[in-house]
Amino acid sequence: ASKLDSYASLAAFEADAALIVENALTYNRDPEHRVRVAALKLRDAVRDVLDRTGARRDAHRLSFHAILDDLLRLEVSYFFAHPVDPVAMGCPDYFERIARPMDLETMRRRVEDGRYDAAPDALAADARRIVHNATTYNPDPAHPIHQLALQFGHAFDALFARHFAGRSQAASTSAVVAGASSSSSAKKNGAAPQSSSQP
C-alpha cells in the first residue's frame, strides 16, 4: 500500500506536503528555477483542493469531535464538561472573577457551529482557557481542581498533537498556568461543591 493509505490524519498529509515544498524551495533558491516554480504550484494546488472540496473542514471536525470524545472519557474532565453553575457549585463569585468561562459542552457546540473549521488553534485556545480559568479561580497548586486542570491540559495537548501533527501551538495548555493570576481565595474553574473548589 502507498503511504497515502497510512496517514492517520489530514494534518499529517499536509505536513508532508509542506515538507516537500519547503525542501524544494530551500534547495532551489533561484526564483526562476523550474523546481521552485513547480513547488509553489504544488503548494497552491494542495491548498485549493483541500479548501474547495471541504476535505480540510470535514477532517478537522472529525478530529475535533474525536478529541472532545476522548477528553470526556477521562475522569480529569469531570469538572470541565459543562458550564459552571455558581449556585449549585458553591462559587457565587465565579463570574466576577472569571470573565470568559469555557467548558467542553460549549466547545462541542462551537465545533458543530463551525467556529473552529478554519483554525484548529482556536480549539486549543479554548482548551487553554479552561485550564487558565481553573487555575486562576483555584490558584493554590495543591488544590485538587488546580491539579485536575493541569492533568486535563496535558491530556488535551497529547490529543491535539496526535490529530494535528506538525502544527505548532502558540502555547501548550499547561504553559498557560504561568500566566494565571493569583486570586485571593482558592476556588473553581468550572465549579464543584463548596467543599472542593472548582474549574
Side-chain angles (χ1 to χ4, degrees):
S2 69
K3 186 172 182 181
L4 278 174
D5 298 323
S6 66
Y7 283 109
S9 68
L10 181 63
F13 167 77
E14 287 188 89
D16 273 359
L19 182 59
I20 292 172
V21 173
E22 180 186 349
N23 290 344
L25 298 181
T26 299
Y27 193 77
N28 303 281
R29 297 184 177 279
D30 179 356
E32 304 300 322
H33 195 288
R34 63 181 183 176
V35 173
R36 185 180 184 88
V37 172
L40 292 174
K41 287 182 178 179
L42 172 63
R43 179 195 62 190
D44 293 342
V46 169
R47 290 176 179 171
D48 179 62
V49 168
L50 295 180
D51 290 338
R52 183 164 37 83
T53 62
R56 179 184 284 115
R57 178 203 63 219
D58 294 343
H60 283 176
R61 287 196 187 184
L62 285 173
S63 291
F64 297 152
H65 281 297
I67 289 171
L68 296 179
D69 288 344
D70 286 346
L71 284 173
L72 286 167
R73 291 188 187 99
L74 303 176
E75 289 185 20
V76 297
S77 297
Y78 175 78
F79 289 111
F80 316 115
H82 306 288
V84 171
D85 181 334
V87 176
M89 298 174 140
C91 51
D93 63 341
Y94 186 79
F95 292 125
E96 295 173 18
R97 294 170 54 187
I98 301 300
R100 294 171 55 202
M102 185 51 60
D103 59 90
L104 294 174
E105 181 181 319
T106 298
M107 290 176 67
R108 175 84 72 186
R109 189 163 56 249
R110 290 184 171 192
V111 168
E112 293 167 354
D113 290 343
R115 294 277 292 274
Y116 305 128
D117 285 355
D121 288 338
L123 179 90
D126 279 349
R128 289 195 292 271
R129 175 60 48 188
I130 290 175
V131 176
H132 173 80
N133 290 348
T135 54
T136 295
Y137 195 77
N138 305 279
D140 180 359
H143 193 285
I145 297 296
H146 188 108
Q147 294 179 356
L148 285 172
L150 295 184
Q151 293 173 38
F152 170 89
H154 291 312
F156 174 84
D157 288 341
L159 289 167
F160 188 86
R162 184 191 312 163
H163 286 273
F164 295 97
R167 249 188 129 74
S168 60
Q169 284 178 260
S172 68
T173 52
S174 50
V176 159
V177 177
S181 59
S182 298
S183 303
S184 51
S185 60
K187 289 208 175 180
K188 327 174 180 184
N189 150 15
Q194 187 88 32
S195 56
S196 64
S197 305
Q198 269 253 208

